[in-house]
Amino acid sequence: MAESLKVERVQTGMRIEKRMLKVLKALAEYLDMSLGDLIEGIVLHAFEGKAPFSEQTLEKIEQIKQVYDLDLTAAHSHKLVEESK
C-alpha cells in the first residue's frame, strides 16, 4: 500500500445527476470510505487510463444501479441536459 500523503482539500458545489450520486454514495458506503475518497480514487485511476474497480466491485455497482434505476452509460457522457424547472 502506498504511503499516506498530506493534501489540501476544498469544498465544492459540483452538480451531478441525482441517481448517479445515489449510486456513488451507496458504493462508498459499501467500500467503507467517504464519497470524496471514492471520487478521488476514480479520478486518479482515470488520469492514468486504469480501471478503478475490480470485477467484484463492478458486479456490486450493477446491483446498486438497479436499485436506483440508473440506466445511464458511458455513451451518455457529455450529452446530459438538466431539465428546466
Side-chain angles (χ1 to χ4, degrees):
M1 185 167 158
E3 182 178 323
S4 295
L5 298 174
K6 292 189 180 201
V7 296
E8 179 182 358
R9 290 194 167 107
V10 295
Q11 192 66 35
T12 181
M14 178 182 81
R15 294 177 64 81
I16 188 169
E17 199 277 335
K18 185 177 181 177
R19 297 167 299 163
M20 190 181 306
L21 179 59
K22 288 180 179 184
V23 170
L24 286 169
K25 284 181 171 182
L27 181 60
E29 178 70 25
Y30 171 75
L31 296 172
D32 195 29
M33 63 175 52
S34 72
L35 178 60
D37 284 346
L38 176 64
I39 292 171
E40 285 175 345
I42 292 168
V43 170
L44 290 172
H45 278 80
F47 283 173
E48 293 186 22
K50 296 180 179 179
F53 303 116
S54 68
E55 283 299 319
Q56 179 182 355
T57 303
L58 288 172
E59 290 173 12
K60 187 63 175 181
I61 291 168
E62 284 305 315
Q63 293 171 0
I64 298 169
K65 284 173 62 178
Q66 289 178 12
V67 169
Y68 294 109
D69 297 320
L70 180 61
D71 55 357
L72 300 174
T73 68
H76 296 104
S77 182
H78 309 294
K79 297 177 184 171
L80 303 177
V81 179
E82 199 164 344
E83 288 185 25
S84 299
K85 291 187 178 185

